[in-house]
Amino acid sequence: MEVKSLQFKARAAERLADPALQSKLKGAKQLFVGGRARVVAEFDQVGQAGDFETLRGVGADIRDTVLDDLDAWLEIFEARATAGGATVLWARDGREAQKLIVDIAKRHGVKKVIKSKSMLSEEAGLNEGLEAAGVQSVETDLGEYILQLAKEPPSHILAPAIHKNKEEVDELFARYHGRPVTPAGQIDIPALTREARVALREHFLSADMGISGGNFLIAETGSVALVTNEGNGRMVTTLPKVHVAVVGIEKLIPSLEDLSALLRLLPRSATGQTISNYVSLLTGPRAEAAEEGPEHMYFVLMDNGRSSLVGSDFQEMLRCIRCGACMNHCPVYQSIGGHAYGWVYPGPMGSVLTPLYNGLEKAPDLPQAATLCGQCSVVCPVKIPLPELLRKLREKQMEGGLRSWQEKWSLKAWGFFAARPRLYALATGIGARVLKVMGGDEGRIEKLPGLAEWSRGRDFPAPQGKTFRELYAARKDLH
Amino acid sequence: MSARNDILNRLGQRLGADQLAARRARAEAALAAHIGQPQGPRPTPGADLLAEFRRRAESLASTVEVVSTWADAPAALARYLAEKDLPRQGVAWPSLGHLDWAGAGLEIRLGAARGDDRLGITSCYCAIAETGTLMLLGESDTHAVTSLLPETHVALVPASLLLWGMEEGWAKLRAERGTPPRGVNFVSGPSRTGDIEQTLVLGAHGPYRVHLILLQDC
Ligand code: SF4
């Protein structure tokens, strides 16, 4: 997927001025933030107080154990997956991953591919690659299916179509399923879901290849673990004769017990569930006597910038288990949604990953896209110090003199903003201004977003709309 | 250089090219130490596994009925179908062929579910009380598709197969099978989605409903 993070400020400003998007984001926030808080409290209650906090530390340790010796662990995984009958392939970047997968499709005479949600395949632009090779590729996660019809990228890693309302979905389905648009006021979400189920069922039963991502790779058994709620992940990995799991090299964990521990963290942090509906552990192709399951299983292990983080100041970022909690709790994300970030990963984790994987010069504004409230690192299930990593990125940026580029861009954008003075005002310091808006007239924030419990009874002085850059410059003057 | 060697070399250089042997030894030792060792705090097991399992499963929108033995299951299922006004035809795991389905007025085929089957009947490899979850192994007489394609999934769960956590399930799997079969599936209630306006809808691609018949004396 092309990186469009350069336009962050302009896109962010447009979104701040979009009341419909604002209300969708608000609804989602309440659902995710409230849900997580409830199940975390319950976990501590059923066990002992502080258990969830301890578990977050264990989650971080599990991830570090592998990342610290990643090459050795990958060798173990490769050996065991191969022993289980799978073929393990490697891709330096998205382009190579695309080519490997197109080759697999050709080798097995594949006409139609069904896909379960994989952000990594978005990184690799996989659908475009397959279509170019004449292979039909169908997204089967309901949100991703909607976006594929709309030809739009996801705006959230868990709820990719969070920015669409039911009227927009109905219109899309009407167009692509060949039926009239439902009259306003009569659109029924369960009926829309059923309509997609029927349309996709046909694809499930007729596809020759399934492509899944992977939530975890397990070294012990050479398996991939998939976590889904809809059941499409199971279809994709059970029905077609070929299964390809395209997974980042950093997703590896040691044993099945580690999987269980991380599964206590992931759904709780992600959607406020104690467990997701379906957790599948997939190992090799089907046994010879079996009547179901794929005859061929491939792993495509993709690097795409990950190895350059290993052993660096940013290695902690590779612990990420893609739960989405950091974006769900981020006041900047809550105000602008995912598309403004301009690449696959939004929110705080995206603000760190996008410049690291693609180069700071392609995403110079993302490290500033924070209010420094620290919520993301409080909720991250593997204790990634996101604000700290964002700070380090800003430091790198200052060293590299990347600001000059930004001035050039500002000039180009001047024409756009000259006609829209309010947007300009918003665009010149999204993060700080988001907080300022929340602070209202009093200039105080009674509740930090997503932290009702903690911030109850405490007031925070709202930043007075200064950007980090302004503050940084001011602070420097004091020295 | 192949992509594989390139990636591994790049990692090796960043981690210390001369310490690969030490890293391999450390990884092998850590793997051995993690296998079979539960990691981190787990919720404390309740005294009554069956009650715990039932409570959890119901909270995930499964329905539960408790009967005594295998022989009671077909009649219990017939009652459930009548109550919900669901068709009496379906498909069951071949391992459930010994039950008298016809005697309860049900038309049950043995084998793997197809795309148009409305009712799928399975048992389970074990059941996890901590989360109200079924652990299923997809093998030749326990098809994975039967718990996936039909709109209604009914599972017969002998109480003796109730375990506390997923870790106990892994221990059983290692002891009995060594390595996992192609597909190990954990199922916790009907399939669901919230992808349109974050409105929860049961029955996305998998079953609309999951009904659990617990066999308390088996
Ligand atoms: S950075 Fe942490 S909170 Fe954010 S998606 Fe990754 S694991 Fe979740």
Side-chain angles (χ1 to χ4, degrees):
Chain A
M1 183 172 160
E2 194 193 334
V3 185
K4 293 195 182 126
S5 307
L6 284 180
Q7 297 97 311
F8 174 72
K9 285 188 174 178
R11 289 164 151 240
E14 283 168 25
R15 265 109 191 150
L16 273 173
D18 175 351
L21 179 71
Q22 292 300 315
S23 97
K24 289 172 207 163
L25 290 169
K26 202 167 156 214
K29 174 203 144 188
Q30 279 160 356
L31 188 81
F32 287 135
V33 170
R36 178 188 176 279
R38 245 189 328 276
V39 290
V40 166
E42 197 215 344
F43 188 82
D44 283 350
Q45 225 165 47
V46 177
Q48 301 192 358
D51 268 1
F52 197 76
E53 187 56 25
T54 312
L55 189 58
R56 287 173 68 227
V58 170
D61 286 346
I62 291 172
R63 301 293 293 120
D64 286 348
T65 300
V66 172
L67 293 170
D68 287 345
D69 298 316
L70 186 57
D71 53 348
W73 283 98
L74 283 165
E75 288 174 349
I76 298 176
F77 174 81
E78 182 187 41
R80 300 203 175 196
T82 309
T87 306
V88 180
L89 304 170
W90 304 70
R92 273 172 280 233
D93 53 28
R95 212 176 31 83
E96 279 189 2
Q98 212 186 78
K99 185 171 179 312
L100 287 171
I101 293 169
V102 168
D103 286 349
I104 295 169
K106 284 189 183 147
R107 187 172 323 140
H108 296 287
V110 170
K111 303 243 163 18
K112 187 192 284 183
V113 160
I114 44 174
K115 278 186 66 213
S116 63
K117 187 170 63 190
S118 154
M119 290 299 130
L120 198 99
S121 82
E122 301 279 344
E123 279 183 49
L126 196 52
N127 287 343
E128 292 79 1
L130 286 164
E131 302 281 344
V135 179
Q136 185 188 1
S137 175
V138 183
E139 293 286 352
T140 63
D141 172 87
L142 178 57
E144 293 277 358
Y145 176 66
I146 292 168
L147 294 184
Q148 193 178 28
L149 296 183
K151 304 191 174 58
E152 283 175 29
S155 70
H156 189 285
I157 59 172
L158 301 174
I162 204 166
H163 59 285
K164 288 248 173 274
N165 61 27
K166 59 177 189 280
E167 286 78 16
E168 293 167 292
V169 175
D170 182 73
E171 221 180 279
L172 274 171
F173 282 10
R175 181 148 24 111
Y176 286 93
H177 299 163
R179 62 157 173 86
V181 173
T182 313
Q186 288 175 34
I187 299 173
D188 177 47
I189 292 175
L192 286 174
T193 306
R194 182 158 198 141
E195 186 179 340
R197 174 190 171 107
V198 172
L200 284 166
R201 187 52 79 97
E202 227 170 275
H203 291 303
F204 283 130
L205 295 171
S206 61
D208 339 81
M209 179 161 126
I211 300 180
S212 72
N215 293 86
F216 303 101
L217 295 170
I218 292 93
E220 175 192 350
T221 51
S223 320
V224 59
L226 272 187
V227 180
T228 72
N229 277 320
E230 295 185 0
N232 60 321
R234 287 190 63 194
M235 302 266 189
V236 163
T237 58
T238 307
L239 300 172
K241 66 178 187 217
V242 185
H243 171 207
V244 182
V246 46
V247 194
I249 52 170
E250 87 285 15
K251 289 286 182 76
L252 193 51
I253 58 172
S255 72
L256 296 171
E257 279 74 11
D258 296 297
L259 175 63
S260 301
L262 289 163
L263 284 175
R264 290 194 182 92
L265 288 166
L266 177 59
R268 283 184 174 84
S269 305
T271 45
Q273 290 172 284
T274 48
I275 185 151
S276 302
N277 285 64
Y278 300 108
V279 175
S280 302
L281 181 81
L282 304 158
T283 315
R286 69 168 168 206
E288 251 171 61
E291 299 163 49
E292 57 174 10
E295 291 155 35
H296 308 277
M297 184 192 193
Y298 295 88
F299 285 99
V300 173
L301 304 181
M302 182 165 111
D303 182 347
N304 207 32
R306 287 157 175 80
S307 61
S308 63
L309 270 59
V310 171
S312 79
D313 281 356
F314 297 95
Q315 182 181 303
E316 284 155 318
M317 193 60 229
L318 294 175
R319 288 179 194 156
C320 177
I321 58 173
R322 306 286 189 266
C323 72
C326 56
M327 61 200 73
N328 293 338
H329 290 76
C330 175
V332 177
Y333 179 89
Q334 281 158 16
S335 307
I336 62 176
H339 281 159
Y341 292 83
W343 197 52
V344 179
Y345 303 107
M349 56 87 90
S351 294
V352 177
L353 278 180
T354 306
L356 285 175
Y357 285 2
N358 299 292
L360 257 172
E361 72 288 354
K362 290 204 178 142
D365 294 323
L366 292 189
Q368 335 275 345
T371 62
L372 308 182
C373 74
Q375 254 309 280
C376 48
S377 64
V378 174
V379 296
C380 176
V382 284
K383 292 200 164 182
I384 299 174
L386 290 152
E388 171 83 12
L389 298 181
L390 284 169
R391 188 184 56 73
K392 284 187 199 164
L393 273 172
R394 287 193 290 261
E395 278 171 18
K396 268 180 80 161
Q397 213 166 20
M398 299 300 270
E399 286 161 21
L402 282 165
R403 281 221 36 209
S404 57
W405 176 87
Q406 169 133 23
E407 311 297 356
K408 276 184 233 152
W409 177 81
S410 298
L411 264 179
K412 263 199 224 156
W414 189 83
F416 173 81
F417 282 119
R420 300 165 181 84
R422 276 203 53 221
L423 289 190
Y424 182 76
L426 286 165
T428 43
I430 299 299
R433 259 157 262 259
V434 164
L435 272 190
K436 185 155 187 286
V437 168
M438 287 173 19
D441 293 339
E442 312 296 321
R444 303 201 62 85
I445 299 162
E446 286 169 27
K447 271 186 188 172
L448 276 183
L451 196 55
E453 287 309 313
W454 188 69
S455 59
R456 187 171 294 149
R458 306 170 202 217
D459 276 6
F460 292 88
Q464 288 307 306
K466 284 245 169 101
T467 61
F468 171 79
R469 231 176 282 123
E470 290 162 333
L471 292 171
Y472 190 90
R475 182 113 44 93
K476 268 203 152 172
D477 289 343
L478 295 176
H479 287 226
Chain B
M1 197 187 298
S2 73
R4 173 190 187 275
N5 292 349
D6 203 14
I7 293 168
L8 290 177
N9 282 346
R10 228 183 292 173
L11 289 170
Q13 250 138 39
R14 303 205 60 97
L15 294 168
D18 49 345
Q19 288 147 43
L20 179 58
R23 283 199 298 281
R24 281 184 178 143
R26 209 160 39 220
E28 290 290 354
L31 178 57
H34 279 238
I35 292 176
Q37 279 309 311
Q39 303 290 316
R42 306 165 57 189
T44 321
D48 182 351
L49 277 191
L50 194 139
E52 197 77 16
F53 176 79
R54 174 176 197 155
R55 188 174 70 80
R56 282 291 172 185
E58 284 173 343
S59 78
L60 298 172
S62 296
T63 50
V64 179
E65 178 175 358
V66 181
V67 299
S68 167
T69 69
W70 289 104
D72 300 327
L77 173 56
R79 275 198 307 277
Y80 167 80
L81 294 174
E83 198 181 293
K84 298 267 169 195
D85 204 14
L86 293 168
R88 302 167 78 77
Q89 295 80 27
V91 57
W93 278 357
S95 63
L96 297 173
H98 61 285
L99 299 178
D100 183 12
W101 301 108
L106 304 173
E107 242 177 82
I108 303 301
R109 192 182 85 243
L110 300 178
R114 296 185 297 244
D116 55 356
D117 278 309
R118 306 274 303 272
L119 165 68
I121 308 167
T122 74
S123 181
C124 60
Y125 181 63
C126 60
I128 313 292
E130 179 192 333
T131 47
T133 300
L134 300 170
M135 179 173 176
L136 308 167
L137 307 187
E139 297 190 301
S140 51
D141 59 349
T142 57
H143 302 99
V145 283
T146 307
S147 62
L148 180 62
L149 292 172
E151 288 172 10
T152 306
H153 170 209
V154 175
L156 315 186
V157 182
S160 60
L161 294 181
L162 285 170
L163 302 174
W164 172 241
M166 204 181 252
E167 283 85 347
E168 283 70 34
W170 298 134
K172 178 175 156 79
L173 185 69
R174 284 197 197 94
E176 293 177 1
R177 315 278 168 127
T179 54
R182 154 70 194 174
V184 178
N185 288 297
F186 294 89
V187 174
S188 309
S191 89
R192 63 181 69 206
T193 181
D195 274 355
I196 304 177
E197 295 191 356
Q198 277 61 60
T199 302
L200 177 70
V201 179
L202 294 182
H205 295 304
Y208 287 69
R209 48 192 94 73
V210 172
H211 183 60
L212 305 170
I213 300 179
L214 298 182
L215 314 173
Q216 64 180 343
D217 300 324
C218 298

